[in-house]
Amino acid sequence: MDTPRSAGEPETAQDGLFGLEDLLGEPEAGGPAGPLFRDSEEARRMVSVRRIHAEPAAAASPRGRQILARYPEAELVPTDSHWRIPELHGNQGNAERWVRIKSTVLVLGEKKTLTVRPNGRSADWIAPGAANGCAMACAYCYVPRRKGYANPITVFTNIDALIHRLRRHVTAQGPKKEPNQCDPNAWVYDIGENNDCAVDALISENTADLVRAFTRWPTAKASFATKFVNPDLLLLDPRGRTRLRFSLMPAEDSRLLDIRTSPVQQRIDAAADFVEAGYEVHFNFSPVVIRPGWEQAWARLLQNMDDVLPRSVKEQAAAEVIMLTHNRDLHDVNMAWHPSAEDAIWRPGLQQAKRSENGSWNVRYRNAVKAEAVETVRRLVHTYTPWLPIRYAF
């Protein structure tokens, strides 16, 4: 078991496989020249920071100073805690300004609890996140339930401590002895449970630092899901140690529910570029929404994947199937800013209450409805994309 080291206890050679100075310095010489996507007009439409709430220590840190330098015209507002910002968290009046807050407000904080949690579904472990929140505004997203009525990106600036924690955990695990649904050989760490790492890379180097870190750990692999195609990630060198999972759903569902995300076809088309750049690319069929015609819509999506994806993607791909889970509080928020989405995802006749791991009450499809839908998706995948194994479905 990985246990914390006491304060002042020296680090031994067994504590890590490389030094943090290898990760947190300047970019390596000979890197790509030219403008980055994050400086483009498209990126500015996604993130155009005008106000930054910052804990003093976070603002003064090297990563914090880098971020503040990127947004010199933004208003800087000191805060004692990234969790307790009255004008953001728990303010129901923010629901009507949902998208504007997500795109123009940024929070800088320090991650206080660096816990590595077991998972066993998509990943073996959930890493302590380098960020929380998102600039996108998917109607079904569970993350806002933790922070109230506004959930802009919070960047954790103590990335060195986070990487150090992961390094010690990876070392303590040793080699993976038995294959499982997460991966046959490597311990998989989800680095984006409450954030989208591809969007975060528009703001800071946290995602790049994590990708680089895992290239130094031969027994481990990073993993994150994304709905955003960020070409800057292609400039990194993941060396097969980062699994990028493109989240997909039928385009008609995405246009209604995946607000401010990259178009589904763009995500599919990008898969080959990311494989060529050294990523492992999987797909999340998430969430699967039951509505009239949903089976035919998923059949069209899968047929399109089979038509356009090259062999290089198909030979290494796998998928996850995740049925929709919703939440009463999020339903109320959505009714204030995007009520049409609720026609598709709030279906009391098909759903039942479910207590989540964090103690809140969610709703999911009734057991029989869900089981039948999962079997339908499995059958569609077998029919239209027989090359695509399903790692897990729930």
Side-chain angles (χ1 to χ4, degrees):
M1 177 179 295
D2 182 39
T3 56
R5 193 170 65 250
S6 300
E9 180 181 345
E11 180 178 339
T12 68
Q14 286 75 31
D15 281 331
L17 302 177
F18 63 99
L20 289 176
E21 63 276 6
D22 294 330
L23 291 175
L24 301 177
E26 294 299 316
E28 295 180 4
L36 295 173
F37 172 78
R38 70 182 184 186
D39 298 320
S40 68
E41 184 60 35
E42 182 179 349
R44 283 191 287 270
R45 285 195 296 270
M46 174 60 69
V47 180
S48 182
V49 176
R50 300 173 187 171
R51 173 175 291 186
I52 301 175
H53 298 266
E55 296 175 353
S61 68
R63 182 54 32 94
R65 293 198 303 271
Q66 288 177 354
I67 295 170
L68 292 175
R70 282 191 52 76
Y71 304 105
E73 298 181 1
E75 176 188 7
L76 180 60
V77 182
T79 183
D80 292 334
S81 170
H82 67 88
W83 274 110
R84 294 187 297 275
I85 303 175
E87 68 182 82
L88 294 180
H89 303 157
N91 182 354
Q92 188 171 0
N94 282 330
E96 296 178 358
R97 300 187 297 132
W98 192 255
V99 172
R100 184 160 56 121
I101 289 173
K102 281 174 164 288
S103 61
T104 63
V105 176
L106 180 65
V107 180
L108 302 183
E110 290 190 324
K111 186 82 169 178
K112 303 301 191 295
T113 304
L114 302 178
T115 303
V116 181
R117 305 186 346 258
N119 179 250
R121 286 179 173 171
S122 177
D124 295 291
W125 307 94
I126 304 296
N132 180 290
C134 189
M136 298 183 288
C138 301
Y140 48 81
C141 181
Y142 63 88
V143 175
R145 303 170 198 168
R146 301 185 64 198
K147 283 198 167 182
Y149 292 89
N151 191 45
I153 295 173
T154 297
V155 175
F156 297 121
T157 60
N158 54 330
I159 185 66
D160 53 344
L162 191 153
I163 291 174
H164 177 72
R165 178 71 176 96
L166 282 174
R167 178 178 61 179
R168 294 184 62 234
H169 192 276
V170 168
T171 303
Q173 299 314 303
K176 194 174 198 176
K177 295 187 170 84
E178 296 181 4
N180 61 12
Q181 69 178 23
C182 304
D183 193 84
N185 302 306
W187 295 110
V188 180
Y189 290 75
D190 192 323
I191 62 171
E193 181 188 31
N194 293 313
N195 55 298
D196 190 303
C197 293
V199 177
D200 297 341
L202 300 176
I203 297 170
S204 82
E205 299 301 317
N206 280 5
T207 297
D209 285 343
L210 286 164
V211 170
R212 294 186 188 111
F214 277 88
T215 66
R216 308 294 185 97
W217 300 332
T219 60
K221 181 180 293 185
S223 178
F224 66 89
T226 184
K227 305 181 188 75
F228 186 69
V229 178
N230 183 348
D232 289 345
L233 298 183
L234 298 172
L235 305 179
L236 306 178
D237 184 17
R239 305 177 193 176
R241 309 313 301 175
T242 294
R243 173 185 295 163
L244 187 151
R245 292 142 38 221
F246 279 117
S247 293
L248 303 178
M249 62 171 61
E252 51 266 50
D253 287 346
S254 181
R255 285 191 291 270
L256 177 65
L257 305 175
D258 276 356
I259 310 302
R260 308 191 81 236
T261 64
S262 297
V264 169
Q265 191 63 52
Q266 185 179 356
R267 302 177 216 172
I268 295 172
D269 293 341
D273 292 335
F274 278 85
V275 169
E276 183 177 355
Y279 291 88
E280 182 180 45
V281 175
H282 285 192
F283 300 101
N284 279 7
F285 297 147
S286 170
V288 177
V289 176
I290 298 176
R291 58 163 178 82
W294 74 273
E295 300 99 326
Q296 293 81 5
W298 278 95
R300 290 192 294 271
L301 172 66
L302 293 166
Q303 181 65 68
N304 177 60
M305 293 176 66
D306 187 57
D307 289 343
V308 305
L309 289 173
R311 179 179 298 179
S312 61
V313 175
K314 294 179 179 179
E315 288 178 342
Q316 55 83 68
E320 305 167 7
V321 178
I322 305 174
M323 301 299 298
L324 172 73
T325 298
H326 202 11
N327 175 274
R328 180 58 200 238
D329 292 339
L330 182 59
H331 166 70
D332 292 341
V333 169
N334 287 347
M335 291 302 293
W337 78 277
H338 191 28
S340 59
E342 293 304 296
D343 294 337
I345 61 179
W346 186 255
R347 303 285 302 279
L350 297 177
Q351 293 165 328
Q352 63 187 11
K354 171 186 178 290
R355 175 79 75 174
S356 71
E357 292 180 359
N358 65 14
S360 64
W361 282 102
N362 300 330
V363 293
R364 66 179 183 185
Y365 294 121
R366 298 180 186 275
N367 292 344
V369 173
K370 179 178 178 180
E372 183 179 353
V374 168
E375 188 56 37
T376 296
V377 175
R378 288 187 182 276
R379 174 176 50 80
L380 291 170
V381 169
H382 178 73
T383 300
Y384 294 101
T385 53
W387 44 267
L388 185 62
I390 295 176
R391 292 198 295 111
Y392 78 100
F394 76 98

